[in-house]
Amino acid sequence: MTIAGRTYRSRLIVGTGKYKDLAQNAAAVEAAGAEIVTVAVRRVNVTNPKEPMLVDYIDPKKVTYLPNTAGCYTAEDAVRTLRLAREAGGWNLVKLEVLGDQKTLYPDMIETLRAAEALIKDGFEVMVYCTDDPIMAKKLEELGCCAIMPLAAPIGSGLGIQNPINIRLIIEQAKVPVLVDAGVGTASDAAIAMELGCDGVLMNTAIAEAKDPIRMARAMKLAVEAGRLAYLAGRMPKKKYADPSSPLSGLI
Amino acid sequence: MTIAGRTYRSRLIVGTGKYKDLAQNAAAVEAAGAEIVTVAVRRVNVTNPKEPMLVDYIDPKKVTYLPNTAGCYTAEDAVRTLRLAREAGGWNLVKLEVLGDQKTLYPDMIETLRAAEALIKDGFEVMVYCTDDPIMAKKLEELGCCAIMPLAAPIGSGLGIQNPINIRLIIEQAKVPVLVDAGVGTASDAAIAMELGCDGVLMNTAIAEAKDPIRMARAMKLAVEAGRLAYLAGRMPKKKYADPSSPLSGLI
Amino acid sequence: MTIAGRTYRSRLIVGTGKYKDLAQNAAAVEAAGAEIVTVAVRRVNVTNPKEPMLVDYIDPKKVTYLPNTAGCYTAEDAVRTLRLAREAGGWNLVKLEVLGDQKTLYPDMIETLRAAEALIKDGFEVMVYCTDDPIMAKKLEELGCCAIMPLAAPIGSGLGIQNPINIRLIIEQAKVPVLVDAGVGTASDAAIAMELGCDGVLMNTAIAEAKDPIRMARAMKLAVEAGRLAYLAGRMPKKKYADPSSPLSGLI
Amino acid sequence: MTIAGRTYRSRLIVGTGKYKDLAQNAAAVEAAGAEIVTVAVRRVNVTNPKEPMLVDYIDPKKVTYLPNTAGCYTAEDAVRTLRLAREAGGWNLVKLEVLGDQKTLYPDMIETLRAAEALIKDGFEVMVYCTDDPIMAKKLEELGCCAIMPLAAPIGSGLGIQNPINIRLIIEQAKVPVLVDAGVGTASDAAIAMELGCDGVLMNTAIAEAKDPIRMARAMKLAVEAGRLAYLAGRMPKKKYADPSSPLSGLI
């Protein structure tokens, strides 16, 4: 998976929220084989040396930190947050999310488009959380976003891909990577996303809130690989009736 | 997965029909990491040394051969077929299938019960292809079958699990391994079966009729492992609304 | 819908359990436009004149009473129950159900087949509750059952049709009426059953346990009619992409 | 259903495209019991007296004509089209659709918002075709649209509601009527929309391209009524396991 000119072997991006502690978070990243972690700029502790710091657990030299704008509800808020992040940590590759309300945590696509435009003009490489609306996804790509990240279902819902048709339409038209960003609940959800042709999957709650997060992280690593391979392999056609595995004609 | 007292690391059983040739079949078994292959007794060549023989490609010392009764439509037919197989190859662990019609290739459960009873009395270890009817599955287990193998969908259809409720009911009540046996089409189908709590999956067409069977075999290996890990990890609960990955309360 | 030589305009059969009282039950039958009600022989009061009696609320001269064997777990039990019913009420058209366990209330198909055979030999007209296994459904039809009644989902679950493929397969092969018998939860479930080509639907809990049973009975009446009409009308084909309602070529 | 201050008994709006001829269209409207028909302003013949005219078949005094902007791809185009319609026919209640591309016929929500704002400022009552994005739906309502009309699936696809969660979210938040506008394929699709709590359904292809459009129109009429009644009646809860219709405790 190549994003903003940099190639990753892993197609699984994981989050850094909701874990028991930073050690568990780091172990999950390791088990998931993730090469990118996303970090809520507003939430992560980067300045108070008395509190535990993520960078002591997940080495930014080995794992790409992808700052995100979780908690931002306007374009201005999101742009300001990412400028602060760039000043503090030099991060240029970012994940933009501008939320529309607290019940759904769906993106406000108007604000998202405005923020994306401002950030790209400002030199950021923008991966963008968006609805599964193909028309909006195209506008974001035309603005210059380097990855399109449609939601599968509400953030943290674990419901899996609600509208595979829209995800497929977005993939068919996109020339940049498409990653499913929210709503994955278990391994098969991730496999389905990849079988549709996604370039990758981003998840947080599905791992962090599994009973055994480390084991689920391993499951997700394998599921993403399985789904990718199945997509590349080209699945058998679906058939309405049965078709014997062992044709016996003329044998007995 | 322990079947009839023997433990296997792999939970994926693959078939030996529909491949381009025996070499491709062997390569798919290898890529799938399968430790059991199922072989249609009526179809496979075990006696004519001029024709290619499966045992020259897949080593029976390394991979368990599981003879099956594909093409049998009565209990008598199935019992006779497996007795011949035992005489010829010494096989005692067998997969029973007694078909009900050619359109669905669904099992005839009356004949299946009769055949299972006769085979078990005759000392066979019987893994049994059955419908997803939990009441019938229980009867088969009570007769002494060593593994219950309900269908996901018609053989060769690739439609995936049609009735997850029934598969779950069968698993909840079973004390022997439960393997989904027919109808898997792609990697996520296999993952879903394992996430329901199945002990394993048997498939043939999904691999053999993929555009790239070897790559699909690898996908299936990973999908079965992913689904098993996700089942063991204990998935997050599904939620009706969103739940933020990055709670921000009191942070800014 | 013609069953056992008698023609009904209504395709909706309703039950007589779980209602607040017999008056509500009668009102629901009226609202549903049902011409057949099914009655659990073991449960209904037909002999104690001090208790309220169903016949005082639903006139057996206007509505066909269909005695059923709810609560029977063996063929003998079911046969005995229906013989008593025939002696008591002269009922010859009956609904056979022989249950397999209390958790699923799925039929035991072995016992069901035995009971059906005995009852048909004994001159009953047998409508039969069964799994959605097409092979078993065919055996029941070959024994002489006058209607095949596969379950949509567990009795009282309200989950709707779990395996439309199996219902379709049963319909394709049947020469007698096919009615979905259990598991319908709301109006669209009934419509879907009819759109698959069912001849009718039997339900109890979906009406009796709705917040407003009478209104739900009306909903079900309309849904069954809607589904039947849609089946006869022949639905549009599904398309992968959009197709404009208002082609504009050359108009502007 | 009350839209823009006017109350309709029917909750089914039908289109005027794709029919064999205007007589069939009129018969379908009649069979559907529709009180509103939607008309593509760019397509309908309102000026050439030598060609057949819709108003000769469907009486605008009895049936509300709802002009729509099918074929418009920009806000300007849509606004201009509806102004012409108002000048020609005095129509003030309109259906706005601004399309994003020809493959999906999904709305361009940016252009749709712009057009809605301009039309409302201009005194139109605007019913608006939109994606199923609840955040965008809310913006349209806040602009003053008098009905929100999210798509179920691509126009003319007949795929039914792809994302019931989004439709439900839109309904929960809306204070104006919500009507599903595109993608319905058969009767149960319409019933499902109504069971989710929609105020109405608009369809064209599902009726016009059924093998028997008139019969399908009748089916849709009943399905919409059935779904509405089921919604008002309050469906039974779904249960994981069976629940007997005929409790027998202590009776035998």
Side-chain angles (χ1 to χ4, degrees):
Chain A
M1 180 174 64
T2 300
I3 294 175
R6 187 161 161 192
T7 299
Y8 299 91
R9 270 167 310 124
S10 165
R11 293 173 179 278
L12 176 54
I13 302 179
V14 300
T16 55
K18 295 185 175 177
Y19 287 95
K20 197 182 61 181
D21 53 33
L22 295 176
Q24 189 192 51
N25 195 341
V29 171
E30 174 85 22
E35 295 171 308
I36 306 177
V37 294
T38 182
V39 179
V41 177
R42 294 189 157 198
R43 183 175 151 283
V44 75
N45 171 36
V46 283
T47 49
N48 182 349
K50 289 178 189 160
E51 291 279 314
M53 295 183 75
L54 190 62
V55 292
D56 295 335
Y57 291 83
I58 300 171
D59 184 351
K61 283 178 202 134
K62 291 181 183 157
V63 175
T64 299
Y65 273 52
L66 179 68
N68 71 56
T69 57
C72 294
Y73 284 81
T74 64
E76 285 69 25
D77 228 10
V79 170
R80 191 183 328 117
T81 298
L82 290 173
R83 284 189 181 141
L84 287 171
R86 182 160 61 180
E87 284 164 30
W91 294 310
N92 205 53
L93 176 67
V94 297
K95 186 192 143 195
L96 171 65
E97 54 181 273
V98 189
L99 301 178
D101 69 27
Q102 296 193 316
K103 183 179 180 184
T104 64
L105 299 177
Y106 280 165
D108 181 325
M109 292 305 294
I110 305 288
E111 295 294 303
T112 299
L113 281 161
R114 285 181 51 226
E117 192 167 16
L119 290 166
I120 290 163
K121 194 176 290 179
D122 207 11
F124 284 95
E125 301 276 4
V126 180
M127 303 175 70
V128 59
Y129 167 63
C130 55
T131 62
D132 63 4
D133 175 352
I135 307 295
M136 289 298 193
K138 190 152 199 189
K139 287 185 196 289
L140 288 166
E141 184 175 350
E142 286 168 354
L143 281 178
C145 290
C146 67
I148 304 297
M149 306 182 74
L151 57 88
I155 291 176
S157 69
L159 293 170
I161 295 183
Q162 293 303 295
N163 194 334
I165 287 180
N166 278 3
I167 300 295
R168 181 176 54 74
L169 287 167
I170 290 172
I171 292 167
E172 284 180 6
Q173 78 190 359
K175 294 190 176 61
V176 297
V178 175
L179 296 90
V180 155
D181 184 350
V184 163
T186 189
S188 55
D189 295 338
I192 289 168
M194 298 306 295
E195 287 165 359
L196 284 168
C198 283
D199 296 89
V201 179
L202 186 154
M203 66 182 70
N204 183 67
T205 310
I207 296 176
E209 293 200 351
K211 288 215 188 81
D212 181 342
I214 309 310
R215 195 176 249 164
M216 186 57 92
R218 277 207 301 275
M220 290 299 187
K221 177 185 194 293
L222 297 176
V224 167
E225 292 172 14
R228 181 66 182 176
L229 281 170
Y231 171 72
L232 295 173
R235 64 159 291 158
M236 64 175 287
K238 293 187 183 184
K239 290 162 201 164
K240 207 175 158 191
Y241 297 111
D243 190 15
S245 289
S246 308
L248 295 169
S249 46
L251 281 164
I252 292 171
Chain B
M1 181 175 62
T2 301
I3 294 175
R6 187 161 162 191
T7 300
Y8 300 91
R9 270 168 309 126
S10 165
R11 293 174 178 277
L12 176 52
I13 303 180
V14 300
T16 54
K18 295 184 174 176
Y19 286 95
K20 198 183 60 181
D21 53 34
L22 294 177
Q24 190 192 50
N25 195 341
V29 171
E30 175 85 21
E35 295 171 308
I36 306 177
V37 294
T38 183
V39 179
V41 176
R42 293 190 158 196
R43 183 176 152 282
V44 74
N45 171 35
V46 284
T47 50
N48 182 350
K50 288 177 189 160
E51 292 280 312
M53 295 183 75
L54 190 62
V55 292
D56 296 335
Y57 292 82
I58 300 171
D59 184 351
K61 283 178 203 136
K62 292 182 183 157
V63 175
T64 299
Y65 274 53
L66 179 69
N68 71 56
T69 56
C72 294
Y73 284 82
T74 65
E76 286 69 27
D77 228 9
V79 171
R80 191 182 328 115
T81 297
L82 290 174
R83 283 188 181 141
L84 286 172
R86 182 159 63 179
E87 283 164 30
W91 293 311
N92 204 53
L93 176 67
V94 296
K95 186 192 140 194
L96 171 64
E97 53 180 274
V98 189
L99 302 178
D101 69 26
Q102 296 193 317
K103 184 180 180 183
T104 65
L105 299 178
Y106 280 167
D108 180 326
M109 291 305 294
I110 305 289
E111 295 294 303
T112 299
L113 281 162
R114 285 181 52 226
E117 191 167 17
L119 290 166
I120 289 164
K121 194 175 290 179
D122 206 11
F124 284 96
E125 301 276 6
V126 180
M127 301 175 70
V128 59
Y129 167 64
C130 55
T131 62
D132 62 5
D133 175 353
I135 308 294
M136 289 298 193
K138 190 152 199 186
K139 286 185 198 288
L140 289 165
E141 185 175 349
E142 286 168 355
L143 281 178
C145 290
C146 68
I148 304 297
M149 305 181 74
L151 56 88
I155 293 176
S157 69
L159 293 170
I161 295 184
Q162 294 303 297
N163 193 334
I165 288 181
N166 277 3
I167 300 295
R168 181 176 54 76
L169 288 166
I170 290 172
I171 292 166
E172 284 180 7
Q173 77 189 1
K175 294 189 176 62
V176 297
V178 174
L179 296 90
V180 155
D181 184 351
V184 164
T186 188
S188 54
D189 295 339
I192 289 168
M194 298 306 294
E195 287 165 358
L196 286 169
C198 283
D199 296 272
V201 180
L202 186 154
M203 66 183 69
N204 184 69
T205 310
I207 296 176
E209 293 200 350
K211 289 215 187 79
D212 180 342
I214 309 309
R215 195 176 249 166
M216 187 57 92
R218 277 206 302 274
M220 290 300 187
K221 176 184 194 295
L222 297 176
V224 167
E225 291 173 13
R228 181 66 182 175
L229 281 169
Y231 171 72
L232 295 174
R235 64 160 287 158
M236 63 174 289
K238 293 188 184 183
K239 290 162 203 163
K240 206 175 158 191
Y241 297 111
D243 189 17
S245 290
S246 309
L248 295 170
S249 45
L251 281 163
I252 290 171
Chain C
M1 179 174 65
T2 300
I3 295 175
R6 188 162 161 191
T7 299
Y8 299 90
R9 270 168 309 126
S10 165
R11 294 174 177 276
L12 175 54
I13 302 179
V14 301
T16 55
K18 296 184 175 178
Y19 287 94
K20 196 183 62 179
D21 53 33
L22 295 178
Q24 190 192 51
N25 195 341
V29 171
E30 175 85 22
E35 295 172 307
I36 306 178
V37 295
T38 182
V39 179
V41 176
R42 293 189 156 197
R43 182 176 152 282
V44 75
N45 172 34
V46 282
T47 50
N48 183 348
K50 290 178 189 161
E51 292 279 313
M53 295 184 74
L54 190 61
V55 291
D56 295 335
Y57 291 83
I58 300 171
D59 183 352
K61 283 178 200 136
K62 292 181 183 157
V63 175
T64 300
Y65 273 54
L66 180 68
N68 71 56
T69 57
C72 294
Y73 285 82
T74 65
E76 285 70 26
D77 227 9
V79 171
R80 192 182 327 116
T81 297
L82 290 174
R83 282 187 181 144
L84 287 171
R86 183 158 63 178
E87 284 164 30
W91 292 310
N92 203 52
L93 176 67
V94 296
K95 187 193 141 192
L96 171 65
E97 53 181 273
V98 189
L99 302 178
D101 68 26
Q102 295 194 316
K103 183 179 181 184
T104 63
L105 298 178
Y106 280 166
D108 180 327
M109 291 306 292
I110 305 290
E111 294 295 302
T112 300
L113 282 161
R114 284 181 52 226
E117 191 166 17
L119 289 166
I120 289 163
K121 194 175 290 178
D122 206 10
F124 283 95
E125 301 277 4
V126 180
M127 302 175 70
V128 59
Y129 168 62
C130 55
T131 63
D132 63 3
D133 174 353
I135 307 295
M136 288 299 193
K138 190 153 199 186
K139 286 186 198 288
L140 288 166
E141 185 175 350
E142 286 168 355
L143 280 179
C145 290
C146 68
I148 304 297
M149 305 181 76
L151 56 88
I155 292 176
S157 69
L159 293 169
I161 295 183
Q162 295 302 296
N163 194 334
I165 288 180
N166 277 4
I167 300 295
R168 182 177 54 77
L169 287 166
I170 290 172
I171 293 166
E172 284 180 6
Q173 78 189 0
K175 293 188 178 62
V176 296
V178 175
L179 296 90
V180 155
D181 184 352
V184 163
T186 188
S188 55
D189 296 338
I192 289 168
M194 298 307 294
E195 286 166 359
L196 285 168
C198 283
D199 296 90
V201 180
L202 186 155
M203 65 182 69
N204 184 68
T205 310
I207 295 176
E209 294 199 349
K211 288 214 188 78
D212 181 343
I214 309 309
R215 196 176 249 164
M216 186 58 91
R218 276 206 302 273
M220 291 300 187
K221 176 184 194 293
L222 297 176
V224 167
E225 291 173 14
R228 181 66 182 175
L229 281 169
Y231 171 72
L232 295 173
R235 64 159 290 157
M236 62 174 289
K238 293 187 183 185
K239 291 162 201 163
K240 206 176 158 192
Y241 298 111
D243 190 15
S245 289
S246 309
L248 295 170
S249 45
L251 280 162
I252 293 172
Chain D
M1 180 173 66
T2 301
I3 294 176
R6 188 162 161 191
T7 299
Y8 300 90
R9 270 168 308 125
S10 165
R11 294 174 178 277
L12 176 54
I13 301 179
V14 301
T16 55
K18 295 185 175 177
Y19 287 94
K20 198 182 61 180
D21 53 34
L22 295 177
Q24 189 191 51
N25 194 342
V29 170
E30 174 85 22
E35 295 171 308
I36 306 177
V37 295
T38 183
V39 179
V41 176
R42 293 190 158 197
R43 182 176 151 281
V44 74
N45 171 34
V46 283
T47 49
N48 183 351
K50 289 178 188 159
E51 291 280 312
M53 295 182 76
L54 191 62
V55 292
D56 295 334
Y57 292 83
I58 300 172
D59 182 352
K61 282 177 202 137
K62 293 182 183 156
V63 175
T64 298
Y65 273 53
L66 179 68
N68 72 56
T69 57
C72 294
Y73 285 81
T74 64
E76 286 69 26
D77 227 10
V79 171
R80 192 182 328 116
T81 298
L82 290 173
R83 283 186 181 143
L84 287 172
R86 184 160 61 179
E87 284 164 29
W91 293 310
N92 204 54
L93 175 67
V94 297
K95 187 191 140 194
L96 172 65
E97 53 180 274
V98 188
L99 302 178
D101 69 26
Q102 295 194 315
K103 183 180 181 186
T104 64
L105 297 179
Y106 281 167
D108 181 326
M109 291 306 293
I110 305 289
E111 294 295 301
T112 299
L113 281 161
R114 284 181 52 226
E117 192 166 16
L119 289 166
I120 289 164
K121 194 175 290 179
D122 207 10
F124 284 96
E125 302 275 5
V126 180
M127 303 175 70
V128 60
Y129 167 63
C130 55
T131 62
D132 62 5
D133 175 352
I135 308 295
M136 289 298 192
K138 190 153 199 185
K139 287 186 197 288
L140 289 166
E141 185 175 349
E142 286 168 354
L143 280 179
C145 290
C146 67
I148 305 298
M149 306 182 75
L151 57 88
I155 292 176
S157 69
L159 293 169
I161 295 184
Q162 294 303 297
N163 194 335
I165 288 181
N166 278 4
I167 300 295
R168 183 176 53 76
L169 288 166
I170 290 172
I171 292 166
E172 284 180 7
Q173 79 189 359
K175 292 187 180 62
V176 296
V178 175
L179 297 89
V180 155
D181 184 350
V184 164
T186 188
S188 54
D189 295 338
I192 288 168
M194 298 306 294
E195 287 165 359
L196 286 168
C198 284
D199 296 272
V201 179
L202 186 154
M203 65 182 71
N204 185 68
T205 310
I207 295 177
E209 293 200 350
K211 288 213 188 79
D212 179 343
I214 309 309
R215 196 176 247 165
M216 187 57 92
R218 276 207 302 275
M220 291 300 187
K221 176 185 195 295
L222 297 176
V224 167
E225 292 173 14
R228 180 65 182 176
L229 281 170
Y231 172 72
L232 295 173
R235 64 159 289 155
M236 64 174 290
K238 293 188 184 186
K239 291 163 202 164
K240 208 177 158 191
Y241 298 112
D243 189 15
S245 289
S246 308
L248 296 170
S249 46
L251 280 163
I252 290 173

